[in-house]
Amino acid sequence: MQDALNAQINAEFWSAYLYLSMGMHFEAEGRTGIANWFRIQFKEEQAHAEIFMNYLNSRGGRVELKAIEEVPTHWASPLEAFEQTLAHEEKVTSLINNLYALAEAEHDYATRGKLDWFVSEQVEEEETAKNLIDRLKLIGDNGLALYMLDQELATRTYTVPAPLAAAGE
Ligand code: MG
């Protein structure tokens, strides 16, 4: 279970790195609202890694930080970036489900309980990405509509995820 959780910590940091890269890309493209949305996504993913690291420490485990693999650096359009976001989150959902199954198989009910929050979080992540994809498809090549979405995404602010907020971090 510890090895699997360490692998998940690495996956969360890879997600963080992916979204940071998207943020930097859209910053360079002048889409500062979309860039803001991805920068916050980056912070959220770091927080996910922290939740797992705190949990491993609380159980007397060892956190082992491994190399983070390279991430893409260019996207043809906001739609392409959000489509990759959805595909990636679907993959993360399957990783969380695998951890859940492993925790059950090992009768590790504490870890299973810890994973419950992540199961719900993944539903939200997928729903948010799907919603933005739908809207970007409607927008098509309408520059004004894309400008308005960019303005809207500029207003997103970071909220400390509940399990970290509860730990007072
Ligand atoms: Mg995550």
Side-chain angles (χ1 to χ4, degrees):
M1 196 73 240
Q2 173 168 295
D3 289 346
L5 288 172
N6 269 312
Q8 188 63 31
I9 288 165
N10 187 270
E12 299 291 349
F13 276 123
W14 192 86
S15 304
Y17 210 39
L18 173 69
Y19 298 137
L20 181 61
S21 186
M22 288 179 176
M24 293 303 103
H25 169 78
F26 288 109
E27 197 73 59
E29 298 277 305
R31 299 286 179 197
T32 53
I34 295 173
N36 173 65
W37 193 93
F38 280 115
R39 279 166 181 250
I40 287 166
Q41 200 67 9
F42 157 66
K43 286 189 195 168
E44 276 197 3
E45 297 305 336
Q46 273 189 305
H48 294 168
E50 273 183 71
I51 295 164
F52 282 118
M53 290 191 290
N54 291 348
Y55 176 68
L56 255 186
N57 284 327
S58 76
R59 302 299 312 274
R62 287 284 309 184
V63 173
E64 285 177 358
L65 298 177
K66 302 283 167 71
I68 302 166
E69 266 186 56
E70 208 173 313
V71 291
T73 53
H74 286 81
W75 291 269
S77 63
L79 178 60
E80 189 181 277
F82 282 105
E83 278 173 340
Q84 186 175 4
T85 297
L86 176 60
H88 179 61
E89 289 304 329
E90 285 170 347
K91 203 185 126 197
V92 173
T93 298
S94 72
L95 293 177
I96 296 288
N97 287 343
N98 290 345
L99 287 175
Y100 206 101
L102 182 64
E104 286 205 322
E106 295 193 354
H107 303 284
D108 184 347
Y109 300 113
T111 299
R112 192 188 69 175
K114 196 72 195 172
L115 289 165
D116 282 334
W117 182 84
F118 284 92
V119 171
S120 310
E121 172 69 8
Q122 284 310 118
V123 172
E124 219 176 277
E125 298 277 30
E126 288 185 29
E127 190 185 3
T128 306
K130 270 187 201 125
N131 176 268
L132 285 165
I133 289 167
D134 287 345
R135 293 174 65 190
L136 282 163
K137 281 182 177 165
L138 276 175
I139 286 169
D141 56 7
N142 184 323
L144 179 58
L146 183 58
Y147 173 77
M148 286 171 73
L149 180 67
D150 191 68
Q151 295 289 99
E152 182 190 321
L153 297 184
T155 64
R156 184 184 185 193
T157 54
Y158 176 67
T159 317
V160 180
L164 269 194
E169 285 166 61

